[in-house]
Amino acid sequence: MKSIKPFKNPIYITRPIFPELDAYTMRLKEVWESQKLTNNGDMHKLLERTLRQELKVPFLSLFNNGTIALLTACKTLGLKGEVITTPFTFPATPHALAWNNITPVFCDITSSTMNIDASKIEELITPRTTGILAVHVFGVPCDVKNIQNIADRYGLKVVYDAAHAFGVEIDGNGIGNYGDISMFSFHATKLFHTAEGGALTFSNERFKEKVDLLKNFGIRNEEEVVDVGINGKMNELQAALGLEVLSCIGEEQNKRKYLSDVYRELLSGCDGLTLPPENISDVTMSNQYFVVRIDKDLFGCSRDRVYEELKKYNVFARKYFYPLCSNYACYRDNKSSSVINLPYANRISLEVLSLPLYGALTAGDIEKICGIMTNAKK
Ligand SMILES: *Cc1c(COP(=O)(O)O)cnc(C)c1O
């Protein structure tokens, strides 16, 4: 076993895109000249228009973050009672339901995609069910056809948490066109970001007016407040940053694709290690993440052991998503949270490990990370 030295500086799973400071400063100069910092200024309008093209969606509303966007999506669709969702996600997904007084009903996931298992949704539907909130986990599309089919048969609304799916397409169709509303997060840790930010996309024109009303306190005009709204507005500084970040993502995606291929080459054929899908037919992937699964028995040591070992070398991989949302104190007493209802989600949450992936890493860095991982089992 050749000895490996720890990285001098910590390696995290991602590093945000920082566009050229000069380019951002030019945008800021325009903002200063406009004397407008928020409430649908020029940067906001331009970013909305640009993202509509980029994501290939007819309608889009910007937000100050993805979570508020998701809250607003639930409110726009009038969701109540129970909504069927996945436990294998970031806390914001079920929290957006709970903040709307909706009970999240957890459905198990499939082993191949780690997304909600469409074949298990129907048995969870009750007279109180009003919708399905599914997540395109790590940018792999959900079974959109079967989910829509179930929704149509039972008169349910469909919301997609597309926080991981910026730029993903099915058959050339932007992922934000599926379901009634999709949410994107533009948090700094996401491929495309505005430091903090997010958006809702939809194909129904009626939603545009309602969403824009709700994200601005429900204010229709100076004398009329027509709904219980919230403050979900993105400001001009964020929108300006987004416009510059957008021009960097193509190059960043190419670099991540190259580094993913290096991971693949070094880790393929390793017993007990499941790599992310490389190609899915008809799907344009975003190359945002590199998440592996470690089968303790076949690999020779546990995910937690690999995680701890990497830490010793200054590599901070993340256990996404562990713990499962259904095991949080606030949800574990829900009937649907029982481990018997969620066998795959519970198993997979013990196996997943999100590995460092961002453009500034080198093939040599990846080689070292893979070396630490394979040495861990010895
Ligand atoms: C990042 C993320 C969110 C939350 O988005 P914010 O913009 O940080 O509020 C929601 N869902 C998933 C799956 C995420 O990864």
Side-chain angles (χ1 to χ4, degrees), residues 145-182:
K145 223 182 251 165
N146 282 317
I147 290 173
Q148 194 58 55
N149 205 305
I150 295 164
D152 290 344
R153 276 191 285 123
Y154 289 88
L156 306 177
K157 302 288 187 207
V158 179
V159 178
Y160 284 109
D161 177 334
H164 297 172
F166 191 93
V168 173
E169 295 175 8
I170 303 175
D171 260 335
N173 192 18
I175 194 82
N177 289 300
Y178 295 90
D180 293 282
I181 300 185
S182 294

Side-chain angles (χ1 to χ4, degrees), residues 8 83 274 324 338 357 369:
K8 224 169 86 210
V83 166
T274 309
L324 284 184
S338 75
L357 187 68
I369 292 166

Side-chain angles (χ1 to χ4, degrees), residues 93-370:
T93 316
H95 286 357
L97 298 173
W99 271 61
N100 274 291
N101 273 323
I102 298 163
T103 305
V105 173
F106 296 110
C107 178
D108 205 11
I109 60 177
T110 74
S111 179
S112 58
T113 64
M114 300 191 272
N115 290 329
I116 196 166
D117 185 345
S119 73
K120 292 185 180 146
I121 291 176
E122 231 172 314
E123 63 202 59
L124 295 168
I125 297 175
T126 75
R128 298 188 69 223
T129 309
T130 57
I132 300 166
L133 169 53
V135 183
H136 304 298
V137 176
F138 308 132
V140 174
C142 291
D143 184 353
V144 291
K145 223 182 251 165
N146 282 317
I147 290 173
Q148 194 58 55
N149 205 305
I150 295 164
D152 290 344
R153 276 191 285 123
Y154 289 88
L156 306 177
K157 302 288 187 207
V158 179
V159 178
Y160 284 109
D161 177 334
H164 297 172
F166 191 93
V168 173
E169 295 175 8
I170 303 175
D171 260 335
N173 192 18
I175 194 82
N177 289 300
Y178 295 90
D180 293 282
I181 300 185
S182 294
M183 177 279 282
F184 291 86
S185 164
F186 305 153
H187 184 258
T189 53
K190 283 16 186 217
L191 173 69
F192 170 74
H193 75 87
T194 57
E196 292 268 7
L200 293 181
T201 64
F202 28 82
S203 30
N204 186 334
E205 190 171 5
R206 275 189 310 122
F207 292 156
K208 177 66 179 159
E209 197 188 339
K210 180 142 191 197
V211 166
D212 285 349
L213 194 70
L214 285 174
K215 79 172 186 191
N216 189 29
F217 313 99
I219 297 175
R220 174 167 288 155
N221 57 47
E222 278 181 46
E223 307 205 344
E224 275 183 295
V225 175
V226 297
D227 213 331
V228 184
I230 200 164
N231 183 358
K233 301 187 304 295
M234 177 183 282
N235 68 48
E236 290 291 277
L237 310 181
Q238 291 171 292
L241 180 60
L243 287 164
E244 289 310 317
V245 170
L246 204 48
S247 63
C248 305
I249 66 167
E251 194 187 333
E252 176 68 20
Q253 278 176 305
N254 289 340
K255 286 180 182 164
R256 290 190 192 192
K257 170 82 177 94
Y258 163 71
L259 296 168
S260 298
D261 289 343
V262 177
Y263 268 128
R264 241 174 241 293
E265 198 180 304
L266 295 168
L267 297 176
S268 68
C270 208
D271 280 343
L273 217 55
T274 309
L275 305 184
E278 187 171 9
N279 289 304
I280 306 172
S281 68
D282 307 329
V283 175
T284 308
M285 303 285 275
S286 67
N287 301 306
Q288 211 179 145
Y289 304 99
F290 199 86
V291 182
V292 299
R293 277 170 56 190
I294 299 167
D295 179 310
K296 183 172 176 258
D297 298 328
L298 288 172
F299 185 68
C301 81
S302 69
R303 181 273 314 270
D304 287 354
R305 174 82 194 280
V306 176
Y307 166 84
E308 292 299 337
E309 200 63 25
L310 284 167
K311 249 190 184 169
K312 287 186 199 159
Y313 291 86
N314 230 354
V315 178
F316 299 87
R318 294 295 297 267
K319 304 175 192 179
Y320 281 143
F321 291 103
Y322 171 87
L324 284 184
C325 296
S326 49
N327 294 331
Y328 298 168
C330 49
Y331 300 124
R332 68 178 166 223
D333 294 331
N334 291 19
K335 204 175 117 219
S336 64
S337 295
S338 75
V339 176
I340 298 157
N341 182 47
L342 307 165
Y344 282 106
N346 275 279
R347 171 165 184 179
I348 290 167
S349 76
L350 299 176
E351 296 182 343
V352 276
L353 193 63
S354 189
L355 301 177
L357 187 68
Y358 52 88
L361 289 171
T362 66
D365 295 332
I366 305 288
E367 239 173 90
K368 205 159 132 172
I369 292 166
C370 294

